[in-house]
Amino acid sequence: LLLGVVVATSVLLRMVYLGRRGAWLILPGTMLLGVAVIHDVLLNNQLLSGQYWSPLGFLIFIVSMICNFLLNRVWSRQEIVRLSEELRLINRELEQRVAERTQALAEKANALLDANQQLQVLADVDGLTGLLNRRALLEQLQQLKQWQGSVAVLWIDLDHFKRINDGFGHAAGDAVLAAFGALLRRLGRDRDRLARLGGEEFAVLLLDCGAEGAETFARRLQQQLRELQVPDWPQIHNLSASTGIAVGRLGETDGEELLNAADQAMYEVKHSTRDGYKIAADYRR
């Protein structure tokens, strides 16, 4: 027993030296037990007189063990609380990082969507006039194949446009094209389709419109074109255009066929009087 106490004491001293929690509480109980054992050994060999101390030593040792056990429970609970708080803080930080990352990804996705939309606009819209380009107009004609009402297609070509480019320069020509595009937007309705086909050629798709409505549009266009003021180019005035018209139903007639018929009618105006309009004979519904 004495040897066991000595070994236990040396182990506990080392644990106290290493800073092990609870060792300092068991060490006094173990040392007192060792003193009690030594006392009882001496008493048993009649080297001392008195009462046996071993029961008291064992009691103190057991009390120190119980106190150590209870303190370890308390320390363990505190450690659990500390680790739980650290885990909560780590989770909060992780959630914040995930939220920031998600927001960054959402912003990148929105930026990519905006860029795609801008690219789509650039692909469909003429940069100078803001009108649809030829490809976008053909797509619109394809998408409107099930349109039940009548439609009118106008092919418009500005007269003597080469003279403007040659006489005033291409900057003046671009200004005329931009001003004419703005005029078409003022005359057109929200449901109509306006396009620049290339160069000085334009097209207008009037939905729910027959021959009479198309002629009215062409006359208004001629009148307002003569009065059109080109910004920064006051010397350019009294403009005119040749217009071909084809009327039909997209469900019955191919859109490109109507466009080609309007183009042919425009050339007939161009090669005769200019500054006028004509409805294609076979497309006058």
Side-chain angles (χ1 to χ4, degrees), residues 80-96:
I80 291 173
V81 172
R82 184 185 66 81
L83 292 175
S84 298
E85 182 64 20
E86 289 183 0
L87 182 61
R88 187 178 64 83
L89 294 176
I90 291 173
N91 286 336
R92 180 183 298 177
E93 183 180 356
L94 181 61
E95 289 175 357
Q96 183 177 358

Side-chain angles (χ1 to χ4, degrees), residues 26-45:
I26 303 177
L27 180 61
T30 304
M31 294 179 68
L32 287 174
L33 177 61
V35 171
V37 171
I38 293 172
H39 174 272
D40 289 356
V41 169
L42 295 176
L43 182 64
N44 192 53
N45 288 281

Side-chain angles (χ1 to χ4, degrees), residues 23-266:
W24 57 269
L25 186 60
I26 303 177
L27 180 61
T30 304
M31 294 179 68
L32 287 174
L33 177 61
V35 171
V37 171
I38 293 172
H39 174 272
D40 289 356
V41 169
L42 295 176
L43 182 64
N44 192 53
N45 288 281
Q46 298 180 353
L47 297 176
L48 292 175
S49 62
Q51 301 292 326
Y52 285 103
W53 289 3
S54 294
L56 180 61
F58 274 112
L59 178 62
I60 295 174
F61 177 74
I62 292 172
V63 169
S64 66
M65 292 291 290
I66 292 173
C67 292
N68 177 68
F69 174 76
L70 294 176
L71 282 176
N72 273 317
R73 290 292 300 273
V74 173
W75 290 333
S76 298
R77 189 173 298 275
Q78 291 176 347
E79 185 70 11
I80 291 173
V81 172
R82 184 185 66 81
L83 292 175
S84 298
E85 182 64 20
E86 289 183 0
L87 182 61
R88 187 178 64 83
L89 294 176
I90 291 173
N91 286 336
R92 180 183 298 177
E93 183 180 356
L94 181 61
E95 289 175 357
Q96 183 177 358
R97 290 184 179 180
V98 170
E100 292 174 354
R101 183 62 175 170
T102 302
Q103 182 178 359
L105 290 175
E107 291 175 354
K108 290 181 179 180
N110 291 333
L112 182 60
L113 180 61
D114 292 341
N116 288 335
Q117 291 176 346
Q118 292 176 4
L119 289 174
Q120 185 64 38
V121 170
L122 292 175
D124 292 344
V125 175
D126 175 64
L128 181 60
T129 63
L131 306 180
L132 297 175
N133 56 29
R134 184 187 187 96
R135 184 189 62 80
L137 178 63
L138 293 176
E139 287 183 356
Q140 290 289 316
L141 289 171
Q142 186 68 21
Q143 293 172 7
L144 292 169
K145 287 183 67 173
Q146 304 303 321
W147 187 267
Q148 298 300 320
S150 61
V151 298
V153 177
L154 285 72
W155 189 299
I156 306 164
D157 187 285
L158 293 175
D159 295 332
H160 308 297
F161 185 75
K162 188 174 184 302
R163 294 181 185 177
I164 297 174
N165 278 334
D166 293 343
F168 301 99
H170 289 282
D174 289 346
V176 170
L177 294 174
F180 185 67
L183 173 60
L184 287 180
R185 285 196 297 273
R186 290 196 299 271
L187 293 176
R189 301 163 299 177
D190 290 340
R191 62 176 178 269
D192 297 332
R193 308 294 193 268
L194 313 171
R196 180 189 176 197
L197 301 175
E200 67 274 20
E201 295 183 329
F202 295 79
V204 176
L205 175 62
L206 302 175
L207 300 180
D208 284 330
C209 181
E212 183 177 350
E215 288 184 285
T216 301
F217 184 92
R219 285 194 295 269
R220 290 177 58 198
L221 178 62
Q222 283 181 303
Q223 179 182 354
Q224 295 194 29
L225 184 56
R226 296 189 189 99
E227 301 170 357
L228 181 65
Q229 299 294 322
V230 181
D232 301 326
W233 300 93
Q235 62 272 43
I236 300 177
H237 54 82
N238 199 28
L239 296 171
S240 66
S242 301
T243 303
I245 303 172
V247 181
R249 294 180 181 273
L250 293 178
E252 301 173 1
T253 307
D254 184 72
E256 291 192 46
E257 183 180 338
L258 288 175
L259 197 61
N260 292 333
D263 181 24
Q264 186 60 39
M266 181 275 296

